[in-house]
Amino acid sequence: MKTRSSRLKMIAAPIPRQLLRRCMLQSSLTPFRSLSPFRSLSFFRSLSFFIWVLFPTLLLAQEESALLKYKFQPGQSLNYLVASQMVATTKVQNAEQDSTNQSSSIKELKIVSVDPQGLATIESSVKRILIKATLPGGGQLDYDSSQTDPVPLPFRMAAESIGKTTSRITLAPDGRIIKAVALQPDGTPVANPAGGPTPRHDVLPSFPASPVQRGSTWQETFQVEVPGADNQPRTVLLARKFQVTSISVTPNNQKLVQIGFVVEPAVPPSEPEIVSRLTPFLVTGELTFDASAGAVVAYQSELNREAVDALGPGTLLRMSGKTLEKLVPPQTPPELLKLEE
C-alpha cells in the first residue's frame, strides 16, 4: 500500500515524454470508432493516467508567485487619472444636510533620479483638475483648472498647486519611504509640527521582501494629522493591511497581482472628534500591480462610514464615496466619471 506522501510525490513528478506522446498520438490520430476493445481499453487507461496525473500537475503550475518591486527609471513619468465622488451627510437633531463633491484630475509622478541601490526620488504634481460640488444649501460650484477664471474661493488652494510639485519622496524598491517632504506652491517645505508624518501617494504602497502568492498578507503603518476638539493637531497612526487575491499572466506576459486592502487606526482613538476627522482615511479597496513593469496600474477605494457625536452631542456624520485611479497615457484629459453605486 502506497502512503499518502508517496502518492503526492507521484502526482508532482514530471510526466515521461514517451507516455505523453503515446497519449497524444492515440487521442489525436486514432479515430474513436476504429479502436478494437483491447486498443480502446489501452487508450482509456492512458487517458485516465493523463487526467489523474498530468491535470493536477498543471493546476500546481498555475499557483503563481510574484516578487513585488518597483522598477522606476530616471526620467520616467507615470500619469494617473484620478476620479472620485463623495457624499457627506451631517445630522444635527432632526435636521439633515447633504453635500457632494465630484472630481477628476491627472496626477503625475516624475522619476527624477534612481541611485545604484534602486532608491528613486519622485516628485508628485497635479496637471489638471475638474471639480463639481453641490453645497448643503443646494448651490453648485464648478471648476476647471484649465479655464475657470476667477477661481471660486473653495478651490483657490487647489488652483495654486496645479503644475507645481506638491511632494518629493525618496522610495526604496519595496515601497519603503526613505525621505519625504510636502511642498508649498512656491517650493518651500510645509511645516511639520509633529515631526513624524510623511506625505505619501496612495498608489505607492510598500511590499514584503519575499515573493507573494494568493492569500499572502502584510501591513504598513503611516501617520496622519487631524485637529482635535481644541483644533490643535493630533498625530494618529493608521495601519493599511493587504492581502493578495489573485495572480495572473496576460497574453502579452504581464504578471498582474490583485491586492485587496483596508485602512484602520492602529490604535482606536478615544476622542469622538478624532474619529470623525479620520473618516476620509478609513477606506477599503483593491489595487493592481504589474510585477513585470514594476508599477501600480490601477487603484480603487471605497468609503462608507458613520461617526456618532462627531460634531457634538446628538450629531451624526455619514460619509460615502469611491475613488478610482488608473495609469493612463501622458496626454489623457481628466473627465468626470459617474462611478457605479
Side-chain angles (χ1 to χ4, degrees):
M1 174 75 73
K2 292 183 179 180
T3 65
R4 173 180 171 84
S5 62
S6 64
R7 289 198 301 271
L8 289 176
K9 289 180 181 178
M10 181 185 71
I11 289 176
I15 311 304
R17 291 185 178 179
Q18 292 180 349
L19 182 57
L20 287 178
R21 188 179 297 113
R22 180 182 175 190
C23 291
M24 294 173 64
L25 287 174
Q26 286 184 332
S27 61
S28 61
L29 300 181
T30 307
F32 188 83
R33 61 177 178 274
S34 69
L35 293 174
S36 69
F38 295 101
R39 287 178 178 268
S40 178
L41 180 60
S42 174
F43 167 73
F44 281 115
R45 283 176 177 169
S46 298
L47 182 59
S48 85
F49 186 88
F50 178 89
I51 293 173
W52 291 106
V53 176
L54 180 59
F55 187 66
T57 304
L58 291 175
L59 289 180
L60 289 174
Q62 291 179 356
E63 290 294 327
E64 293 279 356
S65 65
L67 183 61
L68 306 180
K69 296 288 184 183
Y70 293 105
K71 300 177 182 178
F72 296 127
Q73 301 297 323
Q76 183 183 15
S77 177
L78 300 175
N79 290 263
Y80 290 88
L81 171 64
V82 184
S84 68
Q85 61 184 34
M86 188 71 61
V87 178
T89 301
T90 56
K91 182 177 181 181
V92 180
Q93 296 179 352
N94 293 323
E96 282 192 9
Q97 285 190 326
D98 290 341
S99 60
T100 64
N101 186 295
Q102 192 176 4
S103 68
S104 178
S105 62
I106 300 296
K107 290 184 180 180
E108 181 181 28
L109 299 182
K110 187 178 296 182
I111 316 304
V112 178
S113 63
V114 180
D115 72 8
Q117 288 73 42
L119 301 181
T121 299
I122 304 170
E123 293 183 346
S124 176
S125 63
V126 177
K127 297 165 69 173
R128 185 182 170 191
I129 188 169
L130 306 177
I131 304 175
K132 178 181 289 186
T134 302
L135 306 178
Q140 181 171 304
L141 290 175
D142 296 319
Y143 174 63
D144 181 343
S145 63
S146 69
Q147 51 189 264
T148 303
D149 189 28
V151 178
L153 183 60
F155 306 137
R156 286 186 183 174
M157 185 175 295
E160 291 174 356
S161 66
I162 298 299
K164 309 288 181 61
T165 300
T166 56
S167 68
R168 186 176 294 112
I169 300 174
T170 301
L171 198 75
D174 62 2
R176 287 177 297 113
I177 292 180
I178 306 302
K179 181 181 179 181
V181 60
L183 301 174
Q184 296 178 357
D186 62 2
T188 58
V190 175
N192 187 359
T198 56
R200 65 173 300 114
H201 193 284
D202 278 339
V203 297
L204 293 177
S206 61
F207 298 124
S210 303
V212 299
Q213 296 178 324
R214 184 165 58 90
S216 294
T217 61
W218 70 97
Q219 75 172 39
E220 64 179 357
T221 57
F222 59 98
Q223 294 175 306
V224 296
E225 270 192 1
V226 294
D230 55 2
N231 286 326
Q232 294 302 308
R234 304 281 197 278
T235 300
V236 182
L237 187 67
L238 299 182
R240 185 156 54 162
K241 301 176 182 180
F242 301 93
Q243 182 173 31
V244 176
T245 56
S246 70
I247 300 176
S248 60
V249 179
T250 68
N252 59 351
N253 290 324
Q254 283 181 295
K255 182 174 282 190
L256 300 181
V257 184
Q258 304 285 344
I259 304 169
F261 65 86
V262 59
V263 180
E264 297 285 354
V267 178
S270 56
E271 297 179 59
E273 292 82 6
I274 298 295
V275 175
S276 66
R277 288 158 184 172
L278 281 178
T279 297
F281 299 98
L282 306 182
V283 299
T284 60
E286 183 178 65
L287 62 91
T288 303
F289 186 78
D290 184 346
S292 307
V296 175
V297 295
Y299 169 99
Q300 59 182 6
S301 65
E302 185 171 349
L303 171 66
N304 192 1
R305 298 270 182 166
E306 285 188 353
V308 179
D309 296 335
L311 307 174
T315 65
L316 175 70
L317 174 65
R318 183 187 306 117
M319 297 187 72
S320 61
K322 293 183 179 182
T323 297
L324 169 68
E325 302 195 20
K326 61 179 180 179
L327 191 63
V328 295
Q331 303 305 318
T332 302
E335 55 179 329
L336 293 175
L337 303 178
K338 182 64 175 177
L339 303 182
E340 295 181 0
E341 299 295 336

